[in-house]
Amino acid sequence: MRQVELRYNPAQIDRKWQERWERDGLYRVSDEGPRPKWYELTMYPYPSGDLHIGHWYSLAPSDCHARFRRMQGYNVLHPMGFDAFGLPAENAAIKRGIHPYRWTMDNIDNMRRQLRTIGAIYDWSREIVCCLPEYYKWNQWLFLQLYKAGLAYRTRFPAVWCPSCQTVLANEQVINGRCERCDTPITRRELDQWFLRITRYAEELLDFSGLMDWPQRIITMQRNWIGRSEGVEVGFDISHYGLDEREIRVFTTRIDTIFGVTFMVLAPEHPLVARLTAPERRQEVEAYVEATRRESEIERLSTDKEKRGVNIGAYCVNRLSGEKVPIFIADYVLLWYGSGAVMGVPAHDQRDFEFARRYGIPIRVVISPPDWNGEELKEACVEEGLMVNSGPFNGLPSERGKDTVADHVEEHGWGRRAVTYHLRDWLISRQRYWGTPIPIIFCDRCGPIPVPEEQLPVLLPEDTEFKPTGESPLARHPVFPHTICPQCGGQARRETDTMDTFFDSSWYFLRYTSPSHSEGPWDPTVAGKWCPVDQYTGGAEHAVMHLLYARFFTKALRDLGLVTFGEPFLRLYNQGTILSGGAKMSKSRGNVATPDDYVRVFGADVVRCYLMFLGPWEQGGEWSDSGINGAARWLNRVWEIYSKPHPELPKRSELDDNYAKTDELLRRELHRKVKQVENDLDKFKFNTAIAALMTYTNALPSALDARAVSKETWDEIVNVFLRLLAPISPHLSEEMWEKNGLPYSVHSQPFPKWDEGLVTAETVTLVVQVDGKVRDRLQVSVGINEQEAKRLALESARVKQHTGERTVVDLIYVPGKLVNVVTKR
RNA sequence: GCCGAAGUGGCGGAAUGGUAGACGCGACGGUCUCAAAAACCGUUGGGGGCGACCCCAUGCCGGUUCGAAUCCGGCCUUCGGCACCA
C-alpha cells in the first residue's frame, strides 16, 4: 500500500509525543482561566468494535479545528465518549453468546486505544460511557423531571413496529417506511407506550433564530419534518346516533371547500368506526380493518395504489349545508395525523377525487376553476377561484373565503381555527434489553408512580435472557419486575421497557462538562461556563433525529430551570461520507479500509492530512491508496526541509541584491499563507489550507539550495510554518519544532499572526483585456493609479495588435487588477 | 410529485462577477541505477501554427454585463430529504 519511503519513523514519533502529551497533561482542560471558552463537540461514536476510516474522517478534521481554536487563544473543550447503549450489543450477544455489557466494554477498550492513535486533544478524564449506571441514572432522573412536568406520558397507540428488531420505534426512525437500523418494512402495533411531548415545542422548534450558523439544508429538513399547517378543525354532527361523541372532528386546510363535502372518511383505526358501523356492514368493515392492520406501512402509503375503502353505512351532517354525508373508512386516512378523519371534497382534492370516482360519489364543484363552464372535471381542481354552490358564500374569492367561513364556523361553535403538525410526540419506549430502564412503578391501587429519586438508578439486571420476543426481556426477569409501591407499600411491578438511546444523546453534551458530578446530571456552575456547544460537527443523517431531539431537550430543560439557554448547538457543520469504490464502506461489501493498517505504515499525520486534503470536508470523498501516498510524499518533503537547522545560511545583511529580493518574497509569501490558512481553517476548508502549505513548501528547496534565504528569514519561516502545520499534523510538527531547538510544545504556541504590510504585494499583475479577452499581463507597482494603468494598457503592443483599426470606446478599470479595453464592434 | 444541493481536465478538486484548471493523484518523457523501487527534473483540457501566438472549452439553451464556471430564466442529469399530512 505504501510506495513512499519515509525519511522518518512515524510509529516512533507518534508514540513519543502521545506519551509525552499524556504524561504532561497537555490537553487536560481546566474549567477556570482567563481565556475565552470554546466548546467544540463532535458526535460521539457508537462502540461498534473497530474504529474505521469513517470515524477518522469525522474526528481528525474536527480535532484539527479544535486545535486551531486552542492555538487562537481559546480554552477549548473537545471531549470524547461512547454512545454505548443500543441494539448491536444485544444482537452480538445473541449471535455470539457474549453479554452486551462485556461486548460493549471490550469494544470501548479497543476503540479508546484506536482513538488515541489519532493524536487528538481529547481530555480522557472527561470521557463518558452512557451504558454505565453513573450515566443512565441521570437519564432516569431527567425522565422523572419530564414526567413531573407533564412532558412524559404513557398512552395506548398503534405505534410503529419493526418486526425484525421486535420493538416499537419513533417516527423519526422510519426511513421510507423502513426501520432506520435494519431496513425492515415497518408495521403498526397497538401498545401502551411512553412518549415525550415534543409537540408542545413544535412552534418553538420552528424558530431557528437562536442558532448562529447551521446548514440551511438541516434547518429545512427540520422545518419540513415539523410540518406546520394552518386550518380549521370542524365538527360534523352525529348526535342522531345518541353516542357520547356528538360529532366527528376533522382538520382541513380548505375550509372554503366545505360545501363540496360529499363523503367523510375515517381512518380504519378510528375509535368511532366500531360504534358507527351499521350491522349489515359489520363483516365487511371488520375485514377491511383487519387487512389494513396486516399491511406494511409501505404498502399502505404507496401513492400509486388505488384508493379503496368501505362504506360503513352511517352518515354525519354537514352543519353548514345541513346535508347528510355518508361515512367511509379508507387506509389513506391516517389516525396519527390531524384527528384521523377527513372530509371528502372530491372536486378540490386529488385523493378525494379518485376515491369518489371509484365509489360513484358525487363530485360537486364549489370553487370555480378559471374558464370553467360547468363541464365535468377530469381531475381535482386545487387552484384558487370564486366560491360557488356555497350558499351565503357564493362569489367570494376562495382565499378570502377561508377566513370568512372560518369566522362563520367559529361563531356557531362548530369548530375553531387550528394548527396541525406533521411532528408527533417522541415515542421513547423500547421492548429491548440494552437501554436505560424507565423508572416507573405500576401499582394496582395507586397507578403509575415514579421511582423515588433516592432509589435511582434502577439498575439494569445483568442476568437476563435477552432474546427479542416483542416484549421487553426485563418482563421475564425473575426479580426485576417485582417491587413495592413507593406510595402504599403494596405489591407492584416495574415498567420493563427501556429508553430509546436517543434519550442518552439528547443531553450528553452537558455531562461532558462535569462527567463525575454525583449530585445531579451536571454541575450547573460548570455547565453554565461551557454550554451551549459553540461548534458541533457530525453527519447529516441525524437532522431530524438526534439534532431535533437535543434541541427539544434543551428547551424543556430550560423550562424546568435546569439550564439557562434554549439551543444546545450554536454552530453546526456536517461532514460528508468517505467512500470506497464509490460506495459507503461496509463489512458486507468488503470495501472497508482499516485505519490501523494505514497508521502503522504511514503514521497518524499522513492519514489525517490525506483525509483533510481529499476534498471539501462537507462533501466526503473517495478513499484512495494512491491519494494517501501523495500525503505521505508531502509530509516526507516537509520533513526533509524543516526538520534540520540550516546554520550555513547567510545573514540578511550578507545577501546580494538578487537574493535579498528572493528572501523578501519568501517572507511576504509566508505571511500571505498565514492569512490564507487562518481563513481556511476557520471555515473548515482543510483542503485549501493544506494546498497553500504545499505550494509554499514547493518554493523552498531551490531557494535553500541557492542560499538565497537569510538565517533570519529561515528562522521565521520554520517558526511560523510549523505552527501553521501543528493543528493539521500534530506529531510531526512537534518533532520538527523540537529538532529546531524551539521550546516545547508547539501546541502551546499561539497561532501565527500575519503582517498586513507584508501580505500586500509590492507589485501586482495587471491583466489587460480587449473586449473581455485577456491579451496582456503587466507587472505594475501596487499603488498604480487609474490614469497610469489605462495608459500602460493602451500602450501595450499586444493590445494594439488586437484593437487594430477599431475605435476604443471605453476603458474599464478594476483598481490594481485589470483594465478592459472596449472597442466598437 | 414537492423541496434542496450539485454538475469544471483521465481522476479528486481550486477559482463565488475580473488571468479557468491552484494543490494533489494518475499518466508520459528524462536523471540516478546492473536493474527496479524511491527520489529528483520536465510535460500533461482539446484543436491549429515552424514560431511569437491564435481559436475552442466549466452539463445544455437563452439572457444580463465592458467582462459569466460564478448572477438571472428555461431544460437535462446525478445525489439527498420529504411524500396519500387532509
Side-chain angles (χ1 to χ4, degrees):
Chain A
M1 123 212 335
R2 191 178 86 190
Q3 295 142 21
V4 180
E5 273 178 34
L6 296 176
R7 308 279 167 85
Y8 58 92
N9 182 333
Q12 204 181 321
I13 294 173
D14 284 3
R15 189 171 348 102
K16 170 182 169 183
W17 292 110
Q18 282 168 17
E19 282 170 8
R20 173 84 189 268
W21 297 332
E22 180 69 29
R23 196 164 63 240
D24 297 346
L26 189 68
Y27 304 127
R28 194 59 66 84
V29 183
S30 165
D31 298 324
E32 311 293 333
R35 296 186 299 163
K37 71 97 179 178
W38 183 265
Y39 189 174
E40 177 135 2
L41 182 64
T42 195
M43 293 177 187
Y44 65 169
Y46 179 80
S48 52
D50 271 301
L51 210 61
H52 60 78
I53 289 290
H55 290 116
W56 269 77
Y57 191 63
S58 61
L59 302 179
S62 67
D63 173 63
C64 175
H65 193 260
R67 283 178 172 277
F68 167 65
R69 286 277 181 263
R70 197 170 168 275
M71 290 179 79
Q72 281 186 311
Y74 291 96
N75 186 26
V76 173
L77 176 60
H78 185 53
M80 185 45 59
F82 297 95
D83 181 17
F85 266 141
L87 275 184
E90 257 172 284
N91 294 337
I94 293 158
K95 204 165 142 193
R96 287 180 249 172
I98 318 164
H99 193 274
Y101 177 83
R102 194 67 272 147
W103 185 85
T104 303
M105 295 314 275
D106 287 350
N107 285 350
I108 288 175
D109 284 343
N110 186 44
M111 285 177 76
R112 198 186 283 122
R113 179 188 59 74
Q114 293 173 313
L115 282 164
R116 283 174 188 271
T117 68
I118 296 176
I121 56 169
Y122 307 136
D123 176 352
W124 286 102
S125 70
R126 289 176 182 263
E127 180 198 78
I128 59 173
V129 176
C130 60
C131 68
L132 298 177
E134 302 93 274
Y135 188 88
Y136 72 70
K137 170 181 181 175
W138 301 111
N139 273 348
Q140 295 172 339
W141 186 86
L142 288 165
F143 175 88
L144 293 179
Q145 310 314 306
L146 295 169
Y147 179 71
K148 287 168 192 163
L151 288 169
Y153 65 94
R154 189 169 182 261
T155 192
R156 196 167 179 80
F157 184 81
V160 174
W161 175 262
C162 173
S164 164
C165 296
Q166 292 273 301
T167 180
V168 296
L169 302 172
N171 294 313
E172 288 78 11
Q173 284 156 332
V174 181
I175 313 288
N176 295 327
R178 292 166 185 275
C179 171
E180 176 243 344
R181 185 167 292 286
C182 68
D183 217 34
T184 307
I186 56 116
T187 57
R188 295 259 165 186
R189 191 176 269 207
E190 189 154 317
L191 290 169
D192 288 307
Q193 304 291 320
W194 286 97
F195 291 84
L196 299 188
R197 226 180 270 285
I198 190 171
T199 52
R200 186 175 285 178
Y201 288 88
E203 204 57 50
E204 200 190 339
L205 287 166
L206 282 170
D207 176 7
F208 299 91
S209 62
L211 303 174
M212 297 180 71
D213 189 13
W214 270 42
Q216 196 53 48
R217 181 171 49 116
I218 302 289
I219 290 177
T220 306
M221 277 156 109
Q222 291 204 352
R223 193 175 283 134
N224 291 343
W225 185 259
I226 294 166
R228 185 181 197 277
S229 58
E230 284 182 18
V232 174
E233 199 177 81
V234 60
F236 282 70
D237 190 21
I238 51 165
S239 55
H240 43 280
Y241 290 109
L243 302 171
D244 290 346
E245 297 86 354
R246 302 185 56 80
E247 59 183 17
I248 296 173
R249 298 196 77 81
V250 300
F251 174 77
T252 178
T253 54
R254 292 297 305 271
I255 193 69
D256 54 313
T257 65
I258 195 163
F259 284 83
V261 173
T262 50
F263 62 99
M264 170 70 55
V265 193
L266 302 183
E269 301 89 343
H270 197 287
L272 280 172
V273 171
R275 271 168 276 176
L276 290 175
T277 301
E280 70 275 14
R281 296 293 173 90
R282 190 159 299 274
Q283 205 179 351
E284 198 188 344
V285 166
E286 280 172 3
Y288 185 85
V289 170
E290 186 51 34
T292 304
R293 189 175 297 146
R294 276 199 307 271
E295 255 180 334
S296 79
E297 196 90 341
I298 295 177
E299 291 163 336
R300 176 167 181 177
L301 295 182
S302 163
T303 32
D304 39 48
K305 192 181 73 170
E306 265 196 280
K307 309 235 167 322
R308 287 167 189 274
V310 176
N311 187 328
I312 67 169
Y315 72 93
C316 57
V317 174
N318 182 345
R319 286 164 170 153
L320 280 88
S321 63
E323 287 177 311
K324 286 185 178 180
V325 178
I327 303 174
F328 287 72
I329 57 171
D331 63 1
Y332 77 87
V333 176
L334 307 172
L335 181 67
W336 36 93
Y337 185 78
S339 53
V342 172
M343 60 182 215
V345 186
H348 305 291
D349 181 288
Q350 190 55 30
R351 294 154 301 173
D352 296 345
F353 184 84
E354 288 166 29
F355 192 82
R357 275 259 267 237
R358 181 172 183 88
Y359 293 101
I361 302 166
I363 296 170
R364 185 193 306 152
V365 174
V366 290
I367 306 294
S368 171
D371 53 81
W372 177 67
N373 45 21
E375 82 272 13
E376 205 174 299
L377 296 179
K378 293 194 178 58
E379 56 179 10
C381 168
V382 296
E383 257 98 281
E384 287 170 32
L386 291 184
M387 293 178 69
V388 293
N389 296 323
S390 297
F393 305 101
N394 284 341
L396 272 180
S398 54
E399 240 354 81
R400 280 240 325 274
K402 279 183 186 169
D403 261 330
T404 316
V405 180
D407 287 342
H408 182 80
V409 165
E410 285 183 339
E411 278 158 23
H412 288 81
W414 296 333
R416 59 188 171 82
R417 284 180 171 80
V419 176
T420 320
Y421 301 90
H422 170 227
L423 180 75
R424 273 155 249 149
D425 278 341
W426 174 15
L427 199 176
I428 59 156
S429 303
R430 295 293 180 273
Q431 289 73 44
R432 295 294 297 241
Y433 168 69
W434 195 230
T436 306
I438 295 172
I440 292 287
I441 291 166
F442 298 106
C443 171
D444 287 340
R445 264 181 291 181
C446 313
I449 304 289
V451 173
E453 285 177 20
E454 63 276 12
Q455 288 177 25
L456 297 181
V458 177
L459 285 173
L460 189 61
E462 283 185 35
D463 49 338
T464 310
E465 174 64 49
F466 28 72
K467 280 215 170 59
T469 58
E471 187 187 33
S472 170
L474 298 181
R476 278 165 296 125
H477 190 272
V479 183
F480 182 86
H482 309 293
T483 189
I484 305 275
C485 171
Q487 199 158 297
C488 70
Q491 290 286 314
R493 65 196 161 76
R494 288 190 189 281
E495 168 66 62
T496 55
D497 283 352
T498 53
M499 293 182 198
D500 182 1
T501 56
F502 280 113
F503 197 103
D504 315 0
S505 54
S506 294
W507 65 279
Y508 78 120
F509 61 97
L510 285 155
R511 185 70 183 169
Y512 274 131
T513 64
S514 41
S516 45
H517 187 63
S518 56
E519 311 300 310
W522 55 83
D523 180 327
T525 317
V526 182
K529 279 183 186 163
W530 286 110
C531 291
V533 172
D534 295 285
Q535 179 70 59
Y536 199 31
T537 62
E541 66 274 16
H542 289 110
V544 294
M545 291 191 270
H546 165 56
L547 290 170
L548 190 62
Y549 295 147
R551 290 186 66 222
F552 154 61
F553 241 71
T554 305
K555 293 174 198 307
L557 295 176
R558 176 204 56 203
D559 292 346
L560 290 169
L562 294 170
V563 300
T564 56
F565 49 92
E567 291 287 355
F569 314 124
L570 297 179
R571 300 174 191 79
L572 175 68
Y573 192 96
N574 293 123
Q575 83 275 1
T577 313
I578 191 98
L579 305 172
S580 171
K584 209 171 168 172
M585 288 188 199
S586 73
K587 279 184 191 161
S588 54
R589 283 200 193 86
N591 63 348
V592 178
T594 314
D596 280 10
D597 297 343
Y598 290 93
V599 172
R600 202 174 303 119
V601 298
F602 288 104
D605 290 356
V606 167
V607 180
R608 290 173 65 111
C609 278
Y610 174 59
L611 290 172
M612 285 188 263
F613 182 66
L614 94 179
W617 196 30
E618 69 203 327
Q619 277 174 34
E622 177 78 17
W623 176 265
S624 122
D625 276 8
S626 55
I628 197 171
N629 269 299
R633 210 169 282 148
W634 178 60
L635 281 182
N636 207 23
R637 226 165 27 235
V638 165
W639 175 265
E640 286 284 288
I641 294 168
Y642 302 93
S643 66
K644 40 184 181 289
H646 287 266
E648 77 285 3
L649 291 172
K651 287 210 179 84
R652 187 168 289 158
S653 55
E654 294 164 358
L655 290 175
D656 71 35
D657 283 359
N658 221 355
Y659 285 0
K661 202 170 267 177
T662 310
D663 188 65
E664 173 72 4
L665 280 174
L666 284 174
R667 275 197 79 208
R668 289 178 170 277
E669 202 50 38
L670 181 70
H671 282 256
R672 251 174 247 141
K673 295 306 178 194
V674 172
K675 184 174 182 176
Q676 195 196 330
V677 171
E678 180 177 300
N679 282 324
D680 284 353
L681 290 185
D682 187 60
K683 299 186 181 79
F684 295 94
K685 290 167 74 177
F686 306 106
N687 56 330
T688 48
I690 293 174
L693 295 180
M694 285 175 168
T695 312
Y696 191 71
T697 303
N698 289 345
L700 289 181
S702 59
L704 271 177
D705 286 350
R707 299 203 188 171
V709 191
S710 67
K711 185 78 175 65
E712 293 94 322
T713 298
W714 181 251
D715 287 346
E716 185 184 359
I717 289 172
V718 169
N719 190 297
V720 169
F721 184 89
L722 292 181
R723 282 186 286 150
L724 294 179
L725 186 67
I728 295 165
S729 172
H731 307 87
L732 274 187
S733 57
E734 186 81 296
E735 179 73 13
M736 291 186 284
W737 188 259
E738 184 187 58
K739 280 191 169 303
N740 279 283
L742 294 161
Y744 174 82
S745 152
V746 68
H747 302 298
S748 303
Q749 305 299 317
F751 199 77
K753 300 232 181 309
W754 69 86
D755 178 337
E756 194 61 47
L758 288 173
V759 166
T760 317
E762 285 180 306
T763 62
V764 289
T765 309
L766 185 74
V767 172
V768 185
Q769 298 180 331
V770 176
D771 295 325
K773 292 198 174 184
V774 179
R775 296 306 180 187
D776 205 358
R777 300 179 171 101
L778 307 170
Q779 287 303 312
V780 299
S781 82
V782 75
I784 191 166
N785 65 38
E786 179 165 353
Q787 204 183 354
E788 178 70 5
K790 286 179 173 176
R791 189 182 61 80
L792 285 173
L794 287 173
E795 276 174 11
S796 157
R798 295 188 191 177
V799 167
K800 283 179 178 161
Q801 193 185 324
H802 284 279
T803 50
E805 299 295 302
R806 284 171 295 171
T807 337
V808 173
V809 294
D810 201 3
L811 286 172
I812 308 285
Y813 178 62
V814 182
K817 268 188 165 172
L818 176 138
V819 176
N820 189 11
V821 180
V822 186
T823 68
K824 191 172 181 179
R825 273 167 285 183

